[in-house]
Amino acid sequence: MRFGGCGRGPGAREWGQSIIGSVKGEPGFVNLAGCYDYLNRAYYLSQDYENDGEVIRPTCEQMLDAYVPPLFLEKARLAGIPVPEYYLSNGFFAPPVIVDPVNPFILRGRVVLKAGRAKSIAKSLTRNFTYAICCQELPERSRVTYFRSILGWCLQPKLRELSKSIWEVFGIPLALVRVVRTGDGRLLASDISPLSIGDLSVRETKYLEERVTWHN
């Protein structure tokens, strides 16, 4: 979970034209900022298009659903995307877990495998047990991995179905997706975080350019 602190600058449409495009064969616009933190400039850019009655992905609602961990997990679960078992707490958790803050001022969570430092980590991520944390249980023999999702596609063929589902459900064009791979081979969607165009490989960039018509 990562919230930005950028306020809205003047003329959001003016500075944002270079990151707005259309997916070929699909209606509306797509916001390709790559970082969709709450109150970030990209957030307000999509808001401007929405206020003008135009279709754009992601919408402000989709940004919040994707970047707030419990909202992401519950929306994915309801859409049939497999996710880890999870719970909300204001301090206690039982390792092994992934712990994400539900607090706009703490940016990164932790993977906690052993109980030794659980209390100190909980105190830090909850700001002295003030804010909630989202805890995802890690099944036995599982591991945490990441992949880059570009308009519902990714380099790894085995992950493309999951990438497509996340694009369809959340409308996030560019995303670094956290996945829990279980010991029996299941893939559990765990989190979405920012992914900039500049971080794409040559092949990923080519795929993006082939699918998008840019609006200058």
Side-chain angles (χ1 to χ4, degrees):
M1 177 181 179
R2 294 140 299 275
F3 287 98
C6 298
R8 180 180 183 180
R13 272 181 176 264
E14 294 177 9
W15 69 258
Q17 289 294 334
S18 61
I19 60 172
I20 295 296
S22 297
V23 179
K24 294 174 183 177
E26 298 184 18
F29 298 95
V30 61
N31 179 343
L32 291 157
C35 178
Y36 307 101
D37 288 327
Y38 179 53
L39 302 185
N40 186 301
R41 288 184 174 181
Y43 179 91
Y44 287 115
L45 180 57
S46 279
Q47 186 180 75
D48 278 355
Y49 276 77
E50 287 186 81
N51 288 342
D52 286 347
E54 295 172 343
V55 175
I56 188 165
R57 289 177 290 177
T59 64
C60 293
E61 180 180 356
Q62 287 174 322
M63 293 179 195
L64 291 173
D65 287 348
Y67 276 16
V68 177
L71 295 182
F72 168 79
L73 292 167
E74 187 63 12
K75 186 171 183 176
R77 185 188 68 81
L78 292 173
I81 299 174
V83 299
E85 295 293 328
Y86 70 95
Y87 54 91
L88 297 178
S89 172
N90 65 350
F92 171 81
F93 60 82
V97 292
I98 301 172
V99 184
D100 289 308
V102 186
N103 172 0
F105 305 107
I106 300 178
L107 302 183
R108 296 188 181 278
R110 298 281 297 274
V111 176
V112 185
L113 300 178
K114 298 181 180 180
R117 297 190 59 232
K119 185 174 181 179
S120 63
I121 291 172
K123 183 176 181 179
S124 173
L125 293 181
T126 60
R127 290 289 175 91
N128 201 25
F129 309 109
T130 301
Y131 298 98
I133 48 178
C134 180
C135 307
Q136 300 178 44
E137 298 178 350
L138 290 173
E140 186 177 357
R141 297 185 298 115
S142 65
R143 59 191 179 96
V144 179
T145 63
Y146 295 83
F147 73 89
R148 295 189 294 269
S149 178
I150 302 98
L151 298 172
W153 176 88
C154 68
L155 286 173
Q156 304 93 320
K158 291 183 179 180
L159 294 168
R160 286 177 187 166
E161 183 178 350
L162 178 57
S163 180
K164 181 181 178 182
S165 296
I166 288 175
W167 166 236
E168 291 174 346
V169 172
F170 292 95
I172 302 296
L174 300 173
L176 183 64
V177 182
R178 188 174 71 198
V179 176
V180 175
R181 290 179 178 265
T182 67
D184 59 4
R186 290 178 298 144
L187 299 173
L188 309 178
S190 175
D191 182 61
I192 289 179
S193 58
L195 173 66
S196 70
I197 292 176
D199 290 331
L200 301 182
S201 69
V202 172
R203 186 178 171 191
E204 290 167 334
T205 302
K206 181 180 179 181
Y207 177 84
L208 180 66
E209 295 289 350
E210 289 174 347
R211 287 205 60 194
V212 171
T213 299
W214 298 93
H215 298 269
N216 297 316

